[in-house]
Amino acid sequence: MRLTVNRTEYEVDVEPEMPLLWVLRDELGITGTKYGCGIAQCGACTVHMDGMAVRSCQIPAEAADGAEIVTIEGLGTPEALHAVQQAWIEHQVAQCGYCQSGQIMQAASLLDMNPDPSDEDIDRVMSGNLCRCGTYPRIRAAVKTAGAKMRGA
């Protein structure tokens, strides 16, 4: 199978039903995407596939064949952070940090679709990404700040 991950093409020889999460982590060594629950309920494994936020623990490798995958490692760089990553730092969102890559990927997807989300929009879209530390008010504030940056406001 061929996967393009963070603008790099890879050929992988894995079982078709192997979850994308494990292809990324175990086969490609791209470990920013985290395993949380394995049943698509927590959002820790969120990546972008062809521009859409997906739970990589539930995407079989064969469904990702030929797809464009972006993980947290490909969203921005240390020299040029994505607006969501910068807002996360500004609002000091992360506590333990475990859920953050999935949270950031979900927020970036939300802002790609709706750069000026309401509180209700943010709560609805981000509610599937769980944070055991309870940083939800900071997450909402960071999403608003990132949206404003992306709009040039």
Side-chain angles (χ1 to χ4, degrees):
M1 287 175 245
R2 289 189 188 274
L3 302 177
T4 302
V5 182
N6 302 328
R7 295 170 293 286
T8 300
E9 190 169 299
Y10 297 92
E11 224 175 282
V12 295
D13 183 18
V14 298
E15 295 296 322
E17 64 276 359
M18 180 182 213
L20 176 60
L21 171 65
W22 300 119
V23 174
L24 294 170
R25 291 183 60 81
D26 293 349
E27 300 297 320
L28 302 180
I30 301 171
T31 58
T33 304
K34 304 299 181 201
Y35 172 80
C37 66
I39 58 171
Q41 296 297 305
C42 74
C45 68
T46 303
V47 299
H48 296 174
M49 187 166 89
D50 292 333
M52 299 296 297
V54 298
R55 304 295 199 247
S56 63
C57 71
Q58 295 296 299
I59 302 294
E62 67 185 345
D65 189 15
E68 181 82 26
I69 309 296
V70 178
T71 70
I72 191 70
E73 291 91 345
L75 193 62
T77 66
E79 300 80 29
L81 295 175
H82 186 279
V84 175
Q85 293 169 315
Q86 185 61 48
W88 241 246
I89 294 167
E90 290 173 21
H91 289 275
Q92 298 181 354
V93 173
Q95 284 188 19
C96 83
Y98 198 80
C99 71
Q100 295 311 299
S101 61
Q103 296 276 3
I104 289 169
M105 296 305 289
Q106 187 68 51
S109 178
L110 163 63
L111 292 172
D112 284 344
M113 293 182 294
N114 179 1
D116 192 15
S118 67
D119 287 348
E120 294 78 24
D121 294 333
I122 295 168
D123 292 348
R124 185 181 71 259
V125 172
M126 299 301 295
S127 68
N129 287 72
L130 304 180
C131 173
R132 292 194 60 145
C133 300
T135 64
Y136 299 111
R138 291 184 203 171
I139 290 169
R140 185 189 295 153
V143 171
K144 290 226 175 243
T145 296
K149 288 176 186 288
M150 292 171 75
R151 293 188 315 274

